[in-house]
Amino acid sequence: MIRRRQFITLLGGAAATWPKVARGQQPNVPVVGFLTSLGSNDRPNLRDAFRLGLSEAGFVEGRDVAIEYRFAENQPDLLPTLASDLVGRKVAVIAATGGGASVLAAKAATTTIPIVFLTAGDPIHEGFVASLNRPGGNLTGINWFGAQVGAKALGLLHEIVPYAAVIGLMLNPKLPEAAETQTDVQEAARILGRQLLVLHASTANEINTAFATLVQQRAGALLLGADPFFTSRRQQIVALAARDAIPAMYATREFVAEGGLISYGNNITDAYRKAGVYAGRILKGEQPAHLPIDQATKFELVINITTAKTLGLMIPTSMQLLADEVIE
């Protein structure tokens, strides 16, 4: 549990990273609240993409709009307080990013301020909206398929390591979408006739423990669930997979760029850009209740051939031809 003094220090540190323009802006300039489970130094490219989307909608930070950033520093328990703070500052719209925990915190904090979310799970199943075409209420957003592509990702991994009788699935239990991913992948593993070893990790030490379990249980491969925290720890995860010679499938290309074997999933950077566009449309007067959920359709398959050779794996030519990017 974080003590009050620790939390105040954390909040103060986050405030130090907020642009001066967001604190000294003229009253007639709208303010967007950017709520995320990530740390202030994690994946700045995603914030850049969000600002790009805002600018495409006609709102340039520091000129037409101010942005109040709230970082939970990978501690989901802080999100409700951070969301309430944004509501208290009467921001015009809240962008709830970095996983479903941010969305739930924002949703609980306000029923009137528009919320633009990004989620890897099913927004109806998670209770964010009533329907995809007409969300209703004060929420709308971008649905990038992290939880729902688990079966496809497992199938691709199976093509590369067909001999793996035991396949690990690492999930962050603090991510609401994790349960959906587990259900999807468990069914796919059953169809393939493979044993699925489910591992939970929400801290750096728990990631280390999960890899120790993979080795102990003689897992032949690993499927890593889509999770912002995992992506912030990608160097650690890729290094452990290399150390233990475990072929791993990831959700985003960032892991493969770090030396990971393969990734399959949506273009997350583009999803953040779309969220910025939606925030801009709301600032122009559109109602979230009438903005359909944008379901991402752009998927990326990225393969690191150098890593495959190091692991002694042959990537099927057909898969290489399908890949959006092959790193050599």
Side-chain angles (χ1 to χ4, degrees), residues 294-306:
D294 186 310
Q295 294 188 290
T297 56
K298 185 177 181 180
F299 293 86
E300 294 181 321
L301 175 63
V302 183
I303 302 168
N304 191 316
I305 294 296
T306 302

Side-chain angles (χ1 to χ4, degrees), residues 176-224:
E177 298 94 322
E180 190 176 346
T181 299
Q182 182 171 332
T183 299
D184 188 42
V185 176
Q186 280 179 328
E187 175 60 17
R190 185 191 65 79
I191 293 172
L192 290 172
R194 293 295 179 266
Q195 178 185 342
L196 191 68
L197 176 64
V198 180
L199 304 160
H200 289 157
S202 58
T203 67
N205 286 337
E206 288 176 352
I207 290 172
N208 290 332
T209 301
F211 271 91
T213 302
L214 285 169
V215 173
Q216 182 183 35
Q217 298 296 320
R218 300 180 183 278
L222 169 67
L223 175 60
L224 191 74

Side-chain angles (χ1 to χ4, degrees), residues 26-306:
Q26 296 299 318
N28 61 335
V29 174
V31 179
V32 172
F34 187 93
L35 179 67
T36 179
S37 64
L38 295 174
S40 56
N41 295 320
D42 292 340
R43 307 175 77 183
N45 62 304
L46 299 183
R47 300 196 295 277
D48 291 342
F50 178 78
R51 287 191 289 264
L52 175 61
L54 269 175
S55 68
E56 289 176 6
F59 294 90
V60 176
E61 184 182 16
R63 187 190 71 188
D64 314 291
V65 67
I67 304 178
E68 288 276 359
Y69 298 92
R70 296 295 183 272
F71 305 99
E73 303 295 338
N74 294 301
Q75 299 179 64
D77 292 345
L78 297 182
L79 288 166
T81 300
L82 296 175
S84 295
D85 181 63
L86 287 173
V87 172
R89 291 174 182 269
K90 296 181 171 56
V91 297
V93 58
I94 296 175
T97 73
S102 295
V103 188
L104 292 173
K107 186 174 184 290
T110 179
T111 58
T112 56
I113 296 175
I115 297 169
V116 175
F117 60 75
L118 289 103
T119 181
D122 183 336
I124 297 176
H125 177 75
E126 292 170 12
F128 299 160
V129 296
S131 76
L132 298 178
N133 290 329
R134 296 186 68 83
N138 63 317
L139 283 81
T140 187
I142 314 301
N143 181 198
W144 62 277
F145 297 99
Q148 302 97 322
V149 300
K152 174 67 173 178
L154 184 67
L156 291 169
L157 185 59
H158 176 65
E159 285 187 50
I160 297 173
V161 283
Y163 52 81
V166 179
I167 299 176
L169 170 65
M170 192 186 302
L171 300 169
N172 181 354
K174 294 185 178 180
L175 189 75
E177 298 94 322
E180 190 176 346
T181 299
Q182 182 171 332
T183 299
D184 188 42
V185 176
Q186 280 179 328
E187 175 60 17
R190 185 191 65 79
I191 293 172
L192 290 172
R194 293 295 179 266
Q195 178 185 342
L196 191 68
L197 176 64
V198 180
L199 304 160
H200 289 157
S202 58
T203 67
N205 286 337
E206 288 176 352
I207 290 172
N208 290 332
T209 301
F211 271 91
T213 302
L214 285 169
V215 173
Q216 182 183 35
Q217 298 296 320
R218 300 180 183 278
L222 169 67
L223 175 60
L224 191 74
D227 174 55
F229 169 68
F230 288 160
T231 307
S232 73
R233 302 297 307 178
R234 60 188 178 277
Q235 292 178 334
Q236 174 192 4
I237 292 170
V238 169
L240 288 170
R243 181 198 69 185
D244 298 331
I246 297 176
M249 164 69 77
Y250 306 99
T252 65
R253 74 170 305 281
E254 291 160 294
F255 288 89
V256 185
E258 290 285 351
L261 175 62
I262 185 171
S263 68
Y264 178 74
N266 283 132
N267 184 321
I268 309 305
T269 303
D270 191 56
Y272 272 75
R273 181 192 64 79
K274 289 181 176 180
V277 172
Y278 259 36
R281 290 176 64 177
I282 289 172
L283 290 177
K284 287 181 175 179
E286 294 191 59
Q287 297 298 312
H290 303 146
L291 277 174
I293 302 303
D294 186 310
Q295 294 188 290
T297 56
K298 185 177 181 180
F299 293 86
E300 294 181 321
L301 175 63
V302 183
I303 302 168
N304 191 316
I305 294 296
T306 302

